[in-house]
Amino acid sequence: MSYNSIMHPIPSAYKENIISLASNGYSTHHIATKLGISHPTVSRVLKTLLPNHQPPLAGRPSKLSATDQHAIIKQITTYQSANAVQATNHINSIISNPVSSNTVRRVLKKHSFKAVVKKKKPLLSARYRQKRLAFALKHREWTVEDWKRVIWSDETKINRFGSDGREYVWKKQGEGLI
């Protein structure tokens, strides 16, 4: 028996059935087909009579618990893992069901992390900085003619196999790079 609720009010028996089935965990689509009512009608009744009703979650349950997700985020934020692959290797050593690096990337994106290209910058340790300062102080009195006598060479690095490529780093949106 089908009941069309376009023009007519919904009888209280239908409302009670909708509430009963929803409280037992049935989805709105399942309730609609079981009672012969349209899906929007079931949704409207649940919204008016049970405003705090949470429908059952759809989709596959996550392989990673909240604790596992926190461990991934901690690996990235404390710089113990530089990228998602390293974080995946770490989390797979902890949990029994291994996950892919794409799963780890989705977790990071869910927690407002963003992968950005790491800026290439030279390693300037304290010793190198001191040497550069000493060179600048030693040659600060040089004229243009003195600098013209210097032979400048440009160093180029060439990879025969593969490339250094781009390195990515995960950061919270709005944070600067280190």
Side-chain angles (χ1 to χ4, degrees):
M1 179 178 158
S2 174
Y3 179 78
N4 189 351
S5 64
I6 293 176
M7 298 294 285
H8 305 285
I10 302 168
S12 60
Y14 275 93
K15 290 179 184 179
E16 290 171 8
N17 285 340
I18 291 171
I19 292 170
S20 171
L21 291 171
S23 62
N24 287 332
Y26 288 100
S27 68
T28 53
H29 284 284
H30 188 82
I31 295 169
T33 54
K34 194 166 191 162
L35 297 178
I37 303 174
S38 69
H39 171 260
T41 302
V42 173
S43 295
R44 190 176 60 249
V45 168
L46 287 174
K47 189 185 278 187
T48 56
L49 297 179
L50 297 174
N52 295 330
H53 172 69
Q54 293 292 326
L57 295 175
R60 180 181 176 153
S62 176
K63 280 181 134 181
L64 296 171
S65 67
T67 307
D68 298 335
Q69 292 179 19
H70 180 71
I72 291 170
I73 292 167
K74 184 177 178 186
Q75 282 289 306
I76 296 295
T77 55
T78 59
Y79 306 109
Q80 293 175 358
S81 295
N83 53 38
V85 175
Q86 290 176 0
T88 304
N89 293 337
H90 171 74
I91 199 68
N92 283 341
S93 68
I94 296 173
I95 61 175
S96 58
N97 293 333
V99 294
S100 70
S101 56
N102 283 334
T103 303
V104 171
R105 286 184 190 99
R106 278 192 295 272
V107 166
L108 291 169
K109 287 178 185 178
K110 176 182 161 189
H111 289 89
S112 302
F113 279 85
K114 184 178 179 183
V116 294
V117 177
K118 189 175 183 181
K119 291 184 180 177
K120 291 185 178 181
K121 57 184 180 179
L123 173 64
L124 291 179
S125 65
R127 191 182 98 197
Y128 288 135
R129 279 189 242 132
Q130 288 173 352
K131 283 188 170 187
R132 284 183 174 206
L133 179 61
F135 178 85
L137 292 174
K138 180 180 175 184
H139 297 92
R140 103 175 118 185
E141 301 296 329
W142 275 27
T143 64
V144 174
E145 293 301 319
D146 292 330
W147 286 111
K148 282 184 181 178
R149 290 193 311 260
V150 175
I151 297 174
W152 299 98
S153 66
D154 185 18
E155 296 179 11
T156 302
K157 178 179 180 243
I158 298 172
N159 291 339
R160 290 182 60 201
F161 300 105
S163 96
D164 293 338
R166 293 181 171 183
E167 286 187 53
Y168 286 87
V169 64
W170 287 91
K171 68 176 192 81
K172 278 276 200 186
Q173 289 183 339
E175 276 184 359
L177 290 177
I178 56 169

mmCIF file of all heavy atoms in Angstrom, residues 51-101:
data_model
loop_
_atom_site.group_PDB
_atom_site.id
_atom_site.type_symbol
_atom_site.label_atom_id
_atom_site.label_comp_id
_atom_site.label_asym_id
_atom_site.label_seq_id
_atom_site.Cartn_x
_atom_site.Cartn_y
_atom_site.Cartn_z
ATOM 1 N N PRO A 51 14.524 16.805 15.729
ATOM 2 C CA PRO A 51 15.508 17.727 15.153
ATOM 3 C C PRO A 51 16.957 17.334 15.433
ATOM 4 O O PRO A 51 17.847 17.683 14.675
ATOM 5 C CB PRO A 51 15.164 19.074 15.798
ATOM 6 C CG PRO A 51 14.386 18.737 17.020
ATOM 7 C CD PRO A 51 13.706 17.432 16.762
ATOM 8 N N ASN A 52 17.230 16.590 16.488
ATOM 9 C CA ASN A 52 18.601 16.190 16.824
ATOM 10 C C ASN A 52 18.954 14.796 16.331
ATOM 11 O O ASN A 52 19.979 14.245 16.724
ATOM 12 C CB ASN A 52 18.822 16.260 18.337
ATOM 13 C CG ASN A 52 18.719 17.677 18.859
ATOM 14 O OD1 ASN A 52 19.028 18.621 18.146
ATOM 15 N ND2 ASN A 52 18.249 17.823 20.082
ATOM 16 N N HIS A 53 18.114 14.224 15.483
ATOM 17 C CA HIS A 53 18.341 12.864 14.978
ATOM 18 C C HIS A 53 19.562 12.840 14.062
ATOM 19 O O HIS A 53 19.675 13.629 13.134
ATOM 20 C CB HIS A 53 17.103 12.385 14.216
ATOM 21 C CG HIS A 53 17.307 11.082 13.507
ATOM 22 N ND1 HIS A 53 17.468 9.895 14.181
ATOM 23 C CD2 HIS A 53 17.394 10.776 12.199
ATOM 24 C CE1 HIS A 53 17.632 8.917 13.304
ATOM 25 N NE2 HIS A 53 17.592 9.434 12.088
ATOM 26 N N GLN A 54 20.488 11.937 14.348
ATOM 27 C CA GLN A 54 21.669 11.748 13.509
ATOM 28 C C GLN A 54 21.448 10.502 12.662
ATOM 29 O O GLN A 54 21.298 9.405 13.193
ATOM 30 C CB GLN A 54 22.923 11.556 14.360
ATOM 31 C CG GLN A 54 23.337 12.778 15.133
ATOM 32 C CD GLN A 54 23.816 13.884 14.217
ATOM 33 O OE1 GLN A 54 24.423 13.627 13.184
ATOM 34 N NE2 GLN A 54 23.517 15.115 14.579
ATOM 35 N N PRO A 55 21.421 10.643 11.336
ATOM 36 C CA PRO A 55 21.245 9.455 10.495
ATOM 37 C C PRO A 55 22.463 8.547 10.601
ATOM 38 O O PRO A 55 23.558 9.010 10.946
ATOM 39 C CB PRO A 55 21.110 10.033 9.086
ATOM 40 C CG PRO A 55 21.715 11.377 9.143
ATOM 41 C CD PRO A 55 21.565 11.857 10.545
ATOM 42 N N PRO A 56 22.284 7.251 10.310
ATOM 43 C CA PRO A 56 23.437 6.345 10.380
ATOM 44 C C PRO A 56 24.492 6.751 9.357
ATOM 45 O O PRO A 56 24.171 7.239 8.278
ATOM 46 C CB PRO A 56 22.843 4.968 10.066
ATOM 47 C CG PRO A 56 21.539 5.237 9.407
ATOM 48 C CD PRO A 56 21.063 6.566 9.905
ATOM 49 N N LEU A 57 25.758 6.585 9.734
ATOM 50 C CA LEU A 57 26.846 6.957 8.843
ATOM 51 C C LEU A 57 26.896 6.029 7.649
ATOM 52 O O LEU A 57 26.721 4.808 7.774
ATOM 53 C CB LEU A 57 28.174 6.909 9.586
ATOM 54 C CG LEU A 57 28.339 7.908 10.721
ATOM 55 C CD1 LEU A 57 29.653 7.667 11.440
ATOM 56 C CD2 LEU A 57 28.258 9.320 10.199
ATOM 57 N N ALA A 58 27.139 6.619 6.491
ATOM 58 C CA ALA A 58 27.229 5.839 5.262
ATOM 59 C C ALA A 58 28.692 5.662 4.894
ATOM 60 O O ALA A 58 29.553 6.394 5.360
ATOM 61 C CB ALA A 58 26.488 6.551 4.141
ATOM 62 N N GLY A 59 28.970 4.708 4.058
ATOM 63 C CA GLY A 59 30.320 4.505 3.564
ATOM 64 C C GLY A 59 31.111 3.514 4.396
ATOM 65 O O GLY A 59 30.660 3.004 5.407
ATOM 66 N N ARG A 60 32.310 3.281 3.920
ATOM 67 C CA ARG A 60 33.193 2.323 4.576
ATOM 68 C C ARG A 60 33.807 2.947 5.820
ATOM 69 O O ARG A 60 34.234 4.100 5.803
ATOM 70 C CB ARG A 60 34.297 1.951 3.598
ATOM 71 C CG ARG A 60 35.272 0.969 4.154
ATOM 72 C CD ARG A 60 36.355 0.669 3.146
ATOM 73 N NE ARG A 60 37.323 -0.213 3.751
ATOM 74 C CZ ARG A 60 38.069 -1.041 3.070
ATOM 75 N NH1 ARG A 60 37.983 -1.074 1.772
ATOM 76 N NH2 ARG A 60 38.925 -1.824 3.686
ATOM 77 N N PRO A 61 33.895 2.193 6.905
ATOM 78 C CA PRO A 61 34.542 2.735 8.101
ATOM 79 C C PRO A 61 36.035 2.957 7.852
ATOM 80 O O PRO A 61 36.657 2.255 7.066
ATOM 81 C CB PRO A 61 34.316 1.664 9.164
ATOM 82 C CG PRO A 61 33.733 0.499 8.490
ATOM 83 C CD PRO A 61 33.339 0.882 7.112
ATOM 84 N N SER A 62 36.588 3.913 8.532
ATOM 85 C CA SER A 62 37.991 4.270 8.351
ATOM 86 C C SER A 62 38.899 3.165 8.887
ATOM 87 O O SER A 62 38.616 2.547 9.910
ATOM 88 C CB SER A 62 38.285 5.576 9.083
ATOM 89 O OG SER A 62 39.645 5.883 8.984
ATOM 90 N N LYS A 63 40.012 2.936 8.184
ATOM 91 C CA LYS A 63 40.990 1.963 8.650
ATOM 92 C C LYS A 63 41.812 2.517 9.803
ATOM 93 O O LYS A 63 42.407 1.778 10.570
ATOM 94 C CB LYS A 63 41.948 1.596 7.518
ATOM 95 C CG LYS A 63 41.414 0.600 6.528
ATOM 96 C CD LYS A 63 42.469 0.326 5.486
ATOM 97 C CE LYS A 63 42.611 -1.138 5.229
ATOM 98 N NZ LYS A 63 43.659 -1.423 4.236
ATOM 99 N N LEU A 64 41.866 3.850 9.898
ATOM 100 C CA LEU A 64 42.680 4.500 10.914
ATOM 101 C C LEU A 64 41.807 5.049 12.029
ATOM 102 O O LEU A 64 40.839 5.751 11.779
ATOM 103 C CB LEU A 64 43.481 5.648 10.292
ATOM 104 C CG LEU A 64 44.508 5.243 9.247
ATOM 105 C CD1 LEU A 64 45.071 6.467 8.558
ATOM 106 C CD2 LEU A 64 45.613 4.435 9.885
ATOM 107 N N SER A 65 42.160 4.729 13.242
ATOM 108 C CA SER A 65 41.440 5.276 14.383
ATOM 109 C C SER A 65 41.879 6.721 14.610
ATOM 110 O O SER A 65 42.823 7.211 13.985
ATOM 111 C CB SER A 65 41.732 4.447 15.635
ATOM 112 O OG SER A 65 43.088 4.608 16.007
ATOM 113 N N ALA A 66 41.220 7.392 15.527
ATOM 114 C CA ALA A 66 41.592 8.775 15.850
ATOM 115 C C ALA A 66 43.011 8.821 16.407
ATOM 116 O O ALA A 66 43.765 9.763 16.138
ATOM 117 C CB ALA A 66 40.600 9.355 16.844
ATOM 118 N N THR A 67 43.397 7.801 17.164
ATOM 119 C CA THR A 67 44.757 7.738 17.713
ATOM 120 C C THR A 67 45.786 7.584 16.595
ATOM 121 O O THR A 67 46.840 8.226 16.624
ATOM 122 C CB THR A 67 44.876 6.554 18.695
ATOM 123 O OG1 THR A 67 43.836 6.666 19.668
ATOM 124 C CG2 THR A 67 46.225 6.529 19.375
ATOM 125 N N ASP A 68 45.483 6.746 15.598
ATOM 126 C CA ASP A 68 46.389 6.567 14.464
ATOM 127 C C ASP A 68 46.529 7.866 13.677
ATOM 128 O O ASP A 68 47.632 8.236 13.259
ATOM 129 C CB ASP A 68 45.889 5.456 13.543
ATOM 130 C CG ASP A 68 45.830 4.102 14.228
ATOM 131 O OD1 ASP A 68 46.576 3.901 15.207
ATOM 132 O OD2 ASP A 68 45.022 3.258 13.787
ATOM 133 N N GLN A 69 45.418 8.559 13.472
ATOM 134 C CA GLN A 69 45.458 9.830 12.755
ATOM 135 C C GLN A 69 46.296 10.847 13.518
ATOM 136 O O GLN A 69 47.073 11.602 12.929
ATOM 137 C CB GLN A 69 44.043 10.358 12.528
ATOM 138 C CG GLN A 69 43.237 9.509 11.569
ATOM 139 C CD GLN A 69 41.831 10.023 11.357
ATOM 140 O OE1 GLN A 69 41.528 11.170 11.629
ATOM 141 N NE2 GLN A 69 40.971 9.151 10.854
ATOM 142 N N HIS A 70 46.159 10.856 14.842
ATOM 143 C CA HIS A 70 46.947 11.767 15.671
ATOM 144 C C HIS A 70 48.437 11.439 15.555
ATOM 145 O O HIS A 70 49.282 12.338 15.532
ATOM 146 C CB HIS A 70 46.487 11.693 17.125
ATOM 147 C CG HIS A 70 47.238 12.591 18.045
ATOM 148 N ND1 HIS A 70 47.096 13.966 18.030
ATOM 149 C CD2 HIS A 70 48.170 12.326 18.990
ATOM 150 C CE1 HIS A 70 47.899 14.488 18.933
ATOM 151 N NE2 HIS A 70 48.560 13.509 19.533
ATOM 152 N N ALA A 71 48.764 10.149 15.481
ATOM 153 C CA ALA A 71 50.174 9.741 15.352
ATOM 154 C C ALA A 71 50.748 10.230 14.022
ATOM 155 O O ALA A 71 51.906 10.667 13.961
ATOM 156 C CB ALA A 71 50.291 8.222 15.462
ATOM 157 N N ILE A 72 49.953 10.191 12.960
ATOM 158 C CA ILE A 72 50.405 10.674 11.649
ATOM 159 C C ILE A 72 50.670 12.177 11.715
ATOM 160 O O ILE A 72 51.704 12.659 11.252
ATOM 161 C CB ILE A 72 49.358 10.347 10.565
ATOM 162 C CG1 ILE A 72 49.307 8.833 10.313
ATOM 163 C CG2 ILE A 72 49.657 11.096 9.270
ATOM 164 C CD1 ILE A 72 48.160 8.389 9.465
ATOM 165 N N ILE A 73 49.736 12.899 12.308
ATOM 166 C CA ILE A 73 49.883 14.354 12.398
ATOM 167 C C ILE A 73 51.094 14.722 13.246
ATOM 168 O O ILE A 73 51.846 15.643 12.915
ATOM 169 C CB ILE A 73 48.590 14.975 12.946
ATOM 170 C CG1 ILE A 73 47.481 14.816 11.903
ATOM 171 C CG2 ILE A 73 48.774 16.440 13.294
ATOM 172 C CD1 ILE A 73 46.114 15.105 12.412
ATOM 173 N N LYS A 74 51.320 13.963 14.316
ATOM 174 C CA LYS A 74 52.475 14.225 15.181
ATOM 175 C C LYS A 74 53.778 13.985 14.415
ATOM 176 O O LYS A 74 54.744 14.728 14.579
ATOM 177 C CB LYS A 74 52.411 13.343 16.425
ATOM 178 C CG LYS A 74 53.513 13.633 17.409
ATOM 179 C CD LYS A 74 53.374 12.803 18.657
ATOM 180 C CE LYS A 74 54.528 13.088 19.597
ATOM 181 N NZ LYS A 74 54.523 12.217 20.755
ATOM 182 N N GLN A 75 53.814 12.951 13.586
ATOM 183 C CA GLN A 75 55.011 12.670 12.787
ATOM 184 C C GLN A 75 55.345 13.854 11.871
ATOM 185 O O GLN A 75 56.508 14.208 11.715
ATOM 186 C CB GLN A 75 54.791 11.416 11.921
ATOM 187 C CG GLN A 75 54.907 10.125 12.652
ATOM 188 C CD GLN A 75 56.333 9.837 13.034
ATOM 189 O OE1 GLN A 75 57.237 9.840 12.204
ATOM 190 N NE2 GLN A 75 56.561 9.603 14.309
ATOM 191 N N ILE A 76 54.312 14.448 11.283
ATOM 192 C CA ILE A 76 54.536 15.561 10.352
ATOM 193 C C ILE A 76 54.880 16.846 11.103
ATOM 194 O O ILE A 76 55.804 17.564 10.733
ATOM 195 C CB ILE A 76 53.293 15.758 9.457
ATOM 196 C CG1 ILE A 76 53.048 14.529 8.567
ATOM 197 C CG2 ILE A 76 53.417 17.013 8.610
ATOM 198 C CD1 ILE A 76 54.119 14.256 7.545
ATOM 199 N N THR A 77 54.138 17.153 12.172
ATOM 200 C CA THR A 77 54.348 18.428 12.869
ATOM 201 C C THR A 77 55.654 18.479 13.652
ATOM 202 O O THR A 77 56.206 19.552 13.850
ATOM 203 C CB THR A 77 53.181 18.738 13.831
ATOM 204 O OG1 THR A 77 52.999 17.647 14.722
ATOM 205 C CG2 THR A 77 51.903 19.004 13.063
ATOM 206 N N THR A 78 56.154 17.327 14.107
ATOM 207 C CA THR A 78 57.429 17.313 14.834
ATOM 208 C C THR A 78 58.607 17.056 13.899
ATOM 209 O O THR A 78 59.728 16.862 14.363
ATOM 210 C CB THR A 78 57.419 16.235 15.931
ATOM 211 O OG1 THR A 78 57.181 14.953 15.334
ATOM 212 C CG2 THR A 78 56.378 16.533 16.984
ATOM 213 N N TYR A 79 58.347 17.032 12.581
ATOM 214 C CA TYR A 79 59.359 16.853 11.542
ATOM 215 C C TYR A 79 60.096 15.528 11.654
ATOM 216 O O TYR A 79 61.237 15.405 11.215
ATOM 217 C CB TYR A 79 60.361 18.019 11.538
ATOM 218 C CG TYR A 79 59.682 19.359 11.418
ATOM 219 C CD1 TYR A 79 59.638 20.232 12.496
ATOM 220 C CD2 TYR A 79 59.061 19.729 10.232
ATOM 221 C CE1 TYR A 79 59.000 21.458 12.398
ATOM 222 C CE2 TYR A 79 58.417 20.952 10.130
ATOM 223 C CZ TYR A 79 58.389 21.810 11.207
ATOM 224 O OH TYR A 79 57.755 23.015 11.106
ATOM 225 N N GLN A 80 59.460 14.510 12.245
ATOM 226 C CA GLN A 80 60.054 13.175 12.275
ATOM 227 C C GLN A 80 59.871 12.495 10.927
ATOM 228 O O GLN A 80 60.644 11.620 10.560
ATOM 229 C CB GLN A 80 59.439 12.347 13.387
ATOM 230 C CG GLN A 80 59.786 12.858 14.765
ATOM 231 C CD GLN A 80 59.070 12.103 15.868
ATOM 232 O OE1 GLN A 80 58.277 11.212 15.609
ATOM 233 N NE2 GLN A 80 59.336 12.477 17.109
ATOM 234 N N SER A 81 58.812 12.887 10.209
ATOM 235 C CA SER A 81 58.578 12.417 8.845
ATOM 236 C C SER A 81 58.498 13.641 7.947
ATOM 237 O O SER A 81 57.790 14.598 8.260
ATOM 238 C CB SER A 81 57.268 11.637 8.743
ATOM 239 O OG SER A 81 57.334 10.458 9.503
ATOM 240 N N ALA A 82 59.230 13.595 6.830
ATOM 241 C CA ALA A 82 59.258 14.747 5.937
ATOM 242 C C ALA A 82 58.107 14.728 4.943
ATOM 243 O O ALA A 82 57.700 15.775 4.448
ATOM 244 C CB ALA A 82 60.582 14.790 5.185
ATOM 245 N N ASN A 83 57.584 13.528 4.638
ATOM 246 C CA ASN A 83 56.521 13.450 3.638
ATOM 247 C C ASN A 83 55.543 12.342 4.000
ATOM 248 O O ASN A 83 55.715 11.640 5.001
ATOM 249 C CB ASN A 83 57.126 13.229 2.243
ATOM 250 C CG ASN A 83 58.051 12.047 2.205
ATOM 251 O OD1 ASN A 83 57.793 11.031 2.843
ATOM 252 N ND2 ASN A 83 59.136 12.151 1.460
ATOM 253 N N ALA A 84 54.517 12.189 3.165
ATOM 254 C CA ALA A 84 53.455 11.224 3.444
ATOM 255 C C ALA A 84 53.961 9.782 3.364
ATOM 256 O O ALA A 84 53.476 8.919 4.101
ATOM 257 C CB ALA A 84 52.291 11.425 2.477
ATOM 258 N N VAL A 85 54.922 9.509 2.512
ATOM 259 C CA VAL A 85 55.441 8.142 2.384
ATOM 260 C C VAL A 85 56.154 7.727 3.669
ATOM 261 O O VAL A 85 55.969 6.609 4.168
ATOM 262 C CB VAL A 85 56.375 8.031 1.159
ATOM 263 C CG1 VAL A 85 57.017 6.659 1.084
ATOM 264 C CG2 VAL A 85 55.592 8.311 -0.117
ATOM 265 N N GLN A 86 56.946 8.633 4.232
ATOM 266 C CA GLN A 86 57.633 8.315 5.477
ATOM 267 C C GLN A 86 56.635 8.159 6.633
ATOM 268 O O GLN A 86 56.793 7.277 7.474
ATOM 269 C CB GLN A 86 58.645 9.409 5.816
ATOM 270 C CG GLN A 86 59.838 9.430 4.882
ATOM 271 C CD GLN A 86 60.776 10.585 5.177
ATOM 272 O OE1 GLN A 86 60.545 11.378 6.080
ATOM 273 N NE2 GLN A 86 61.844 10.681 4.398
ATOM 274 N N ALA A 87 55.603 9.005 6.653
ATOM 275 C CA ALA A 87 54.569 8.877 7.684
ATOM 276 C C ALA A 87 53.811 7.562 7.514
ATOM 277 O O ALA A 87 53.430 6.923 8.503
ATOM 278 C CB ALA A 87 53.608 10.061 7.615
ATOM 279 N N THR A 88 53.610 7.126 6.264
ATOM 280 C CA THR A 88 52.947 5.846 5.999
ATOM 281 C C THR A 88 53.787 4.691 6.527
ATOM 282 O O THR A 88 53.262 3.768 7.165
ATOM 283 C CB THR A 88 52.706 5.668 4.491
ATOM 284 O OG1 THR A 88 51.956 6.771 4.010
ATOM 285 C CG2 THR A 88 51.967 4.381 4.193
ATOM 286 N N ASN A 89 55.072 4.737 6.263
ATOM 287 C CA ASN A 89 55.962 3.673 6.757
ATOM 288 C C ASN A 89 55.931 3.611 8.285
ATOM 289 O O ASN A 89 55.913 2.523 8.863
ATOM 290 C CB ASN A 89 57.388 3.888 6.261
ATOM 291 C CG ASN A 89 57.507 3.707 4.763
ATOM 292 O OD1 ASN A 89 56.681 3.042 4.143
ATOM 293 N ND2 ASN A 89 58.506 4.319 4.172
ATOM 294 N N HIS A 90 55.893 4.767 8.925
ATOM 295 C CA HIS A 90 55.846 4.791 10.387
ATOM 296 C C HIS A 90 54.530 4.196 10.903
ATOM 297 O O HIS A 90 54.542 3.353 11.799
ATOM 298 C CB HIS A 90 56.015 6.220 10.901
ATOM 299 C CG HIS A 90 55.765 6.348 12.368
ATOM 300 N ND1 HIS A 90 56.661 5.889 13.313
ATOM 301 C CD2 HIS A 90 54.706 6.829 13.063
ATOM 302 C CE1 HIS A 90 56.173 6.103 14.519
ATOM 303 N NE2 HIS A 90 54.983 6.676 14.392
ATOM 304 N N ILE A 91 53.407 4.632 10.343
ATOM 305 C CA ILE A 91 52.104 4.177 10.850
ATOM 306 C C ILE A 91 51.901 2.688 10.535
ATOM 307 O O ILE A 91 51.281 1.965 11.318
ATOM 308 C CB ILE A 91 50.940 5.052 10.326
ATOM 309 C CG1 ILE A 91 49.686 4.882 11.193
ATOM 310 C CG2 ILE A 91 50.593 4.745 8.894
ATOM 311 C CD1 ILE A 91 49.810 5.424 12.573
ATOM 312 N N ASN A 92 52.435 2.212 9.412
ATOM 313 C CA ASN A 92 52.306 0.791 9.080
ATOM 314 C C ASN A 92 53.140 -0.089 10.014
ATOM 315 O O ASN A 92 52.844 -1.276 10.173
ATOM 316 C CB ASN A 92 52.690 0.537 7.623
ATOM 317 C CG ASN A 92 51.599 0.958 6.672
ATOM 318 O OD1 ASN A 92 50.438 1.109 7.063
ATOM 319 N ND2 ASN A 92 51.953 1.171 5.430
ATOM 320 N N SER A 93 54.173 0.483 10.630
ATOM 321 C CA SER A 93 54.951 -0.290 11.603
ATOM 322 C C SER A 93 54.211 -0.396 12.938
ATOM 323 O O SER A 93 54.546 -1.238 13.759
ATOM 324 C CB SER A 93 56.323 0.346 11.810
ATOM 325 O OG SER A 93 56.193 1.597 12.463
ATOM 326 N N ILE A 94 53.196 0.457 13.126
ATOM 327 C CA ILE A 94 52.448 0.463 14.384
ATOM 328 C C ILE A 94 51.172 -0.369 14.301
ATOM 329 O O ILE A 94 50.863 -1.130 15.206
ATOM 330 C CB ILE A 94 52.084 1.915 14.779
ATOM 331 C CG1 ILE A 94 53.348 2.719 15.055
ATOM 332 C CG2 ILE A 94 51.168 1.948 15.976
ATOM 333 C CD1 ILE A 94 53.082 4.191 15.274
ATOM 334 N N ILE A 95 50.426 -0.220 13.196
ATOM 335 C CA ILE A 95 49.102 -0.860 13.094
ATOM 336 C C ILE A 95 49.210 -2.207 12.400
ATOM 337 O O ILE A 95 50.188 -2.492 11.711
ATOM 338 C CB ILE A 95 48.091 0.062 12.359
ATOM 339 C CG1 ILE A 95 48.544 0.361 10.933
ATOM 340 C CG2 ILE A 95 47.888 1.349 13.133
ATOM 341 C CD1 ILE A 95 47.540 1.157 10.125
ATOM 342 N N SER A 96 48.154 -3.022 12.569
ATOM 343 C CA SER A 96 48.174 -4.372 11.992
ATOM 344 C C SER A 96 47.725 -4.377 10.535
ATOM 345 O O SER A 96 48.230 -5.176 9.750
ATOM 346 C CB SER A 96 47.287 -5.303 12.809
ATOM 347 O OG SER A 96 45.966 -4.802 12.844
ATOM 348 N N ASN A 97 46.765 -3.527 10.152
ATOM 349 C CA ASN A 97 46.303 -3.464 8.766
ATOM 350 C C ASN A 97 47.011 -2.314 8.067
ATOM 351 O O ASN A 97 46.752 -1.158 8.368
ATOM 352 C CB ASN A 97 44.787 -3.237 8.704
ATOM 353 C CG ASN A 97 44.014 -4.420 9.222
ATOM 354 O OD1 ASN A 97 44.502 -5.542 9.172
ATOM 355 N ND2 ASN A 97 42.831 -4.170 9.736
ATOM 356 N N PRO A 98 47.900 -2.606 7.121
ATOM 357 C CA PRO A 98 48.645 -1.523 6.473
ATOM 358 C C PRO A 98 47.739 -0.624 5.636
ATOM 359 O O PRO A 98 46.717 -1.069 5.101
ATOM 360 C CB PRO A 98 49.657 -2.256 5.597
ATOM 361 C CG PRO A 98 49.110 -3.620 5.415
ATOM 362 C CD PRO A 98 48.263 -3.921 6.614
ATOM 363 N N VAL A 99 48.129 0.642 5.545
ATOM 364 C CA VAL A 99 47.391 1.616 4.739
ATOM 365 C C VAL A 99 48.323 2.154 3.664
ATOM 366 O O VAL A 99 49.543 2.030 3.754
ATOM 367 C CB VAL A 99 46.851 2.779 5.607
ATOM 368 C CG1 VAL A 99 45.813 2.295 6.581
ATOM 369 C CG2 VAL A 99 47.964 3.503 6.319
ATOM 370 N N SER A 100 47.740 2.767 2.643
ATOM 371 C CA SER A 100 48.537 3.325 1.560
ATOM 372 C C SER A 100 48.916 4.763 1.886
ATOM 373 O O SER A 100 48.351 5.390 2.779
ATOM 374 C CB SER A 100 47.757 3.281 0.244
ATOM 375 O OG SER A 100 46.690 4.200 0.292
ATOM 376 N N SER A 101 49.847 5.284 1.121
ATOM 377 C CA SER A 101 50.260 6.670 1.331
ATOM 378 C C SER A 101 49.139 7.631 0.965
ATOM 379 O O SER A 101 49.053 8.730 1.514
ATOM 380 C CB SER A 101 51.527 6.978 0.539
ATOM 381 O OG SER A 101 51.325 6.705 -0.824
#
